[in-house]
Amino acid sequence: MLERCDFILGGEVGAFESEFAAFCEVRHAIGVDSGTSAIELALRALGVGPGDEVITAANTFVATAFAISHAGATPILVDVDPRTLTIAPELVEAAITPRTRAIVPVHLYGQPAEMDALMDIAARHGLVVVEDACQAHGARYRGRRAGSIGHAAAFSFFPAKNLGCYGDGGAVVTDDPEVADRARALRNYGAPRKHHHESIGFNRRLDTLQAAVVRVKLRNLDRYNARRRHNAQEYLRLLEGVGVELPFAEDHVEHVWHLFVIQAADRDGLASRLGEAGVATGIHYPVPIHLQPAYAGSVPGPGSFPVAEGAAGRILSLPMFPELEQAEIEYAAAAVAAAVDGSPSLV
Ligand SMILES: Cc1ncc(COP(=O)(O)O)c(C=O)c1O
């Protein structure tokens, strides 16, 4: 690649796209520069734009809502299921208006949203569905890969993701050849062929160097995800009865545990005790979308989405990555137990 100066949409991008499409069990993958771009370009390629309402979850990473706004549409937030924290289908249906054009379910923490119910709602109301699979590479819903169920899906290759590159990257995937062609043109100045610009497109291409990185990592993704699942099972076993709420995985999904998120009433106290014991934690995400200043006044205010809001004050992400060792899992679990008990710190 370096010798050929094959730096823009080179062979590595095409090869990665074929391999990633096969991995996702779809016909087309289009490499783009981020997950945020992937959501926006998928919506645009499906014809979603100004004047349209797009329903998504109130507790997602803010980029989901931003991508909807960037496409020119209006994000309509709804609350989530209290057990899985993924979008509640009955609330999606209640939020539909004559302007609704799309649903963007988020496969939060690596667990697919309730796709059968959502696809059924979409079919009955003539809506399109773009899966935000930015946290769920390789997950399955009733045997089908995350990303292969909606009309299109978006993935992020931000370094911390289950499939991450050495910088920013993302992909749109779809079975629909026309949507694929439009997304492919949009990412490259709206040009389906050189110097022929059919729409006011963007420069949102997946970098060829990043494609080369993520291509190699893709070969090991199922193995990495199996390690994450093993780690999650260990946490679930060790933390049972410890006095924190454990993440709930549906039987019909294959969760890929991008994050392992517990809930505790005194979340901040627990986080600081874990920090003292040398256990790094995170909060994904501390402020739901409707409480972000960026959307102040344009979406319903405090108290509107009680499940998302309540969870935001209790959630805590424990260390989770494929290389986590058994002793580290045991140490983190013991540190949680000690903190909840009020016993002396482990260090
Ligand atoms: C659920 C979700 N949606 C969208 C994004 C945006 O992806 P990116 O950071 O690659 O733009 C991310 C990750 O950052 C995410 O976790």
Side-chain angles (χ1 to χ4, degrees), residues 16-63:
F16 170 70
E17 289 175 339
S18 307
E19 290 160 12
F20 192 60
F23 177 85
C24 293
E25 299 171 2
V26 294
R27 291 199 187 90
H28 310 279
I30 299 98
V32 296
D33 60 351
S34 71
T36 312
S37 286
I39 301 168
E40 179 193 340
L41 297 193
L43 287 169
R44 286 179 179 270
L46 283 158
V48 177
D52 295 334
E53 292 180 351
V54 177
I55 299 173
T56 195
N59 65 337
T60 181
F61 180 57
V62 75

Side-chain angles (χ1 to χ4, degrees), residues 57 59-60 80-89 104-116 118 131-142 144-147 149 154-155 161-162 225 228-229 232-233 236 245-261 263 285 320:
N59 65 337
T60 181
V80 292
D81 179 280
R83 291 184 315 165
T84 59
L85 299 181
T86 56
I87 200 163
V104 180
V106 181
H107 302 328
L108 197 71
Y109 308 150
Q111 165 151 250
E114 203 40 65
M115 290 306 294
D116 276 354
L118 294 167
E131 297 172 61
D132 180 342
C134 287
Q135 301 187 358
H137 321 65
R140 289 188 186 273
Y141 173 86
R142 297 193 192 281
R144 300 167 69 187
R145 283 284 197 200
I149 305 165
F155 288 89
K161 301 299 191 205
N162 290 38
N225 282 340
R228 287 176 183 268
R229 263 194 293 281
Q233 289 317 315
L236 290 169
E245 193 182 324
L246 298 178
F248 174 80
E250 296 278 10
D251 285 340
H252 56 271
V253 307
E254 214 172 282
H255 198 316
V256 287
W257 300 101
H258 172 56
L259 294 167
F260 189 90
V261 179
Q263 296 189 41
Y285 299 92
M320 171 54 84

Side-chain angles (χ1 to χ4, degrees), residues 12-319:
E12 290 291 336
V13 174
F16 170 70
E17 289 175 339
S18 307
E19 290 160 12
F20 192 60
F23 177 85
C24 293
E25 299 171 2
V26 294
R27 291 199 187 90
H28 310 279
I30 299 98
V32 296
D33 60 351
S34 71
T36 312
S37 286
I39 301 168
E40 179 193 340
L41 297 193
L43 287 169
R44 286 179 179 270
L46 283 158
V48 177
D52 295 334
E53 292 180 351
V54 177
I55 299 173
T56 195
N59 65 337
T60 181
F61 180 57
V62 75
T64 316
F66 282 173
I68 294 167
S69 299
H70 293 326
T74 304
I76 301 296
L77 304 174
V78 302
D79 215 342
V80 292
D81 179 280
R83 291 184 315 165
T84 59
L85 299 181
T86 56
I87 200 163
E90 65 281 7
L91 299 179
V92 169
E93 186 139 34
I96 292 172
T97 74
R99 292 174 60 196
T100 309
R101 277 294 316 281
I103 308 169
V104 180
V106 181
H107 302 328
L108 197 71
Y109 308 150
Q111 165 151 250
E114 203 40 65
M115 290 306 294
D116 276 354
L118 294 167
M119 294 309 289
D120 176 61
I121 293 168
R124 281 191 283 106
H125 294 271
L127 311 177
V128 292
V129 175
V130 173
E131 297 172 61
D132 180 342
C134 287
Q135 301 187 358
H137 321 65
R140 289 188 186 273
Y141 173 86
R142 297 193 192 281
R144 300 167 69 187
R145 283 284 197 200
S148 70
I149 305 165
H151 299 86
F155 288 89
S156 164
F157 306 134
F158 180 83
K161 301 299 191 205
N162 290 38
L163 180 63
C165 49
Y166 294 168
D168 276 308
V172 175
V173 303
T174 182
D175 265 333
D176 184 330
E178 289 177 15
V179 172
D181 284 349
R182 282 196 288 273
R184 202 171 283 117
L186 279 168
R187 74 163 171 192
N188 192 30
Y189 312 115
R193 55 180 197 279
K194 203 165 184 181
H195 300 311
H196 179 81
H197 304 275
E198 285 186 350
S199 62
I200 301 174
F202 307 91
N203 178 351
R204 307 272 190 85
R205 299 172 297 229
L206 176 63
D207 190 88
T208 310
L209 278 166
Q210 299 304 341
V213 169
V214 86
R215 207 182 152 204
V216 173
K217 291 173 87 176
L218 178 62
R219 293 179 199 143
N220 294 307
L221 180 54
D222 277 331
R223 200 163 52 83
Y224 293 151
N225 282 340
R227 283 300 308 170
R228 287 176 183 268
R229 263 194 293 281
H230 168 83
N231 296 344
Q233 289 317 315
E234 283 304 289
Y235 271 135
L236 290 169
R237 182 176 68 79
L238 294 162
L239 290 171
E240 200 181 330
V242 154
V244 292
E245 193 182 324
L246 298 178
F248 174 80
E250 296 278 10
D251 285 340
H252 56 271
V253 307
E254 214 172 282
H255 198 316
V256 287
W257 300 101
H258 172 56
L259 294 167
F260 189 90
V261 179
I262 60 172
Q263 296 189 41
D266 180 18
R267 186 266 314 281
D268 294 339
L270 176 57
S272 82
R273 285 289 310 272
L274 290 175
E276 284 161 21
V279 177
T281 58
I283 303 173
H284 302 89
Y285 299 92
V287 182
I289 307 300
H290 65 294
L291 303 181
Q292 291 289 355
Y295 284 111
S298 57
V299 299
S304 309
F305 307 107
V307 178
E309 238 172 283
R314 291 193 309 270
I315 47 178
L316 188 67
S317 309
L318 298 184

